[in-house]
Amino acid sequence: MQTGLYVGVSSQIALEKRMNTLADNVANATTVGFRATEVKFNTVLGDTRPTKVAFVGEGAEFLNTSSGGLSHTGNTLDVAIKGDAWLSIETPAGVALTRDGRFSLTETGDLVTMRGYPVLDAGGAPIQLNANAGEVVIGNDGVIRQNGTQVAALGLSEANFANGFSRYDNSAVIPTTAPEPVVDRMDVGVMQGYVEESNVNPVQEMSQLITVSRAFESIASLLRDSETSLDEAIKTLGGSK
């Protein structure tokens, strides 16, 4: 009977983790460039001789790699990523990756994000433009031109998030494995004057959140009933009146 309690608790831990990710996804349903977090659960066999009992693993988080919809802004400093790639930005926590391409120019010509983080070029250096050198034109390959002259290029990266990641401001993520620069990828590029919307489906996420919440409550009720039954069994076997 105690084994059943352990299985129930392991299920609640897993469900709580999923509820947290679902709630975070719903909260960021309108956040530009946000990628939803999913959780993959595995069965863990416990050595409870003479039988083995299956417990629910804590679950591993991973990013939903589907792209969000595109929204036209007409802003020359807004860009949306086309394909499976990321923009590189410099943050206090180090280099981070983002799909939020809402940029602006500082008075000194630094290209920065909405949070003020420097946007990096292909070589990992902050991009600096001339605020007085004319309109900024960003090509599909990420090359930035002013008055027909190339002045910089957006640094596009690809990353493997299978080994883990952490989130940061500006819809950014920091992968555990170092990202690699995108080289000769015809399916990757940028679109000037657009931003990518969140890939979260709020209706679907809310539906899952309700389902998970109900499952959590059902297990909690089951655990309470099991604990009551255990108490009664102890009293009976112990001869308590």
Side-chain angles (χ1 to χ4, degrees), residues 76-173:
T76 57
L77 294 180
D78 285 346
V79 295
I81 302 297
K82 179 181 66 176
D84 188 14
W86 299 76
L87 294 159
S88 299
I89 60 176
E90 183 67 44
T91 74
V95 176
L97 306 179
T98 184
R99 302 271 298 191
D100 184 353
R102 295 174 296 172
F103 301 147
S104 61
L105 280 179
T106 65
E107 294 181 355
T108 57
D110 296 316
L111 188 65
V112 297
T113 68
M114 294 288 288
R115 300 281 188 175
Y117 302 134
V119 181
L120 305 180
D121 62 16
I127 294 176
Q128 189 168 43
L129 307 177
N130 187 341
N132 301 315
E135 183 181 10
V136 175
V137 178
I138 304 176
N140 293 336
D141 55 358
V143 172
I144 303 174
R145 293 180 171 84
Q146 287 183 288
N147 292 328
T149 302
Q150 178 176 339
V151 293
L154 294 172
L156 300 180
S157 302
E158 52 188 351
N160 180 6
F161 298 99
N163 294 325
F165 64 93
S166 58
R167 289 195 179 274
Y168 203 76
D169 287 340
N170 225 97
S171 300
V173 289

Side-chain angles (χ1 to χ4, degrees), residues 14 19 40 43 53 132 135 152 156 158 163 166 188 231 236:
M19 279 195 291
K40 180 180 181 181
T43 300
V53 178
N132 301 315
E135 183 181 10
L156 300 180
E158 52 188 351
N163 294 325
S166 58
V188 171
D231 289 341
T236 301

